[in-house]
Amino acid sequence: MLILAIDTSGHTASAALLENDTLRAQVSLHTLRTHSQVMLPLCRQLLGNAGVTLPEIDLFAVADGPGSYTGLRIGISAVKGMAFALDKPCAGISTLEGMAYNLLGTRGTICCAIHARQQLHYCGIFSSDGRQITRLAEDAILSQTQLLEQLRALPQPVTVCGDGAAMLLEAEPALIPAPPHLMLQSAVGVGLAARHAKPVDADALCARYLQATQAEKLRNE
């Protein structure tokens, strides 16, 4: 099965091509340009270098949140367009779960944390036996104090990743940082997680923000 996965949940736009358990190709770009300008060209570059055509893709996967509101919408719209045009299935993958799958070879507890604002983090907690990722807690938005309390009560060691990791490590030096090249979200993890996800139709994809958007906040005031 060929999986084309993309992640636009943060500052880095990334795409990955997996064939079953094998990573065929990956490309990423940290840029100040919007993801709408770079994502589809990155996909074309990736597939062209791998010698794969878009109709050969069996499953399209995308990080569906949490993360940048605009970035998530761009990534999901891109996958919806490609999957709908080709009548192919999709998989929406938690950004945090995708980050955990980047650390699939790690043993122990994994905390994926994306800094939301001030002392708040989007977080997901998982365990890994080196071959399989198991979710220990649902994705949530927690204060740093709440999150650290949970992590201190979990089986050690605890590896942390995401752009919230620096704040957590400063507050709790016993935590283990993920390697630099695996610290942030990546389409590779999204593709690895998609192998275990239940496929859906393109129109079923939607973003999971974990908190109200600015438009929703204004509407509720």
Side-chain angles (χ1 to χ4, degrees), residues 149-172:
E149 287 176 354
Q150 289 192 15
L151 297 182
R152 289 167 182 147
L154 289 170
Q156 303 297 312
V158 177
T159 301
V160 291
C161 62
D163 64 9
M167 294 174 64
L168 296 173
L169 288 162
E170 183 176 356
E172 182 53 77

Side-chain angles (χ1 to χ4, degrees), residues 24 64 72 96 108 146-147 149 207:
R24 289 272 303 271
D64 63 5
L72 292 173
L96 299 163
Q146 291 173 313
L147 179 54
E149 287 176 354

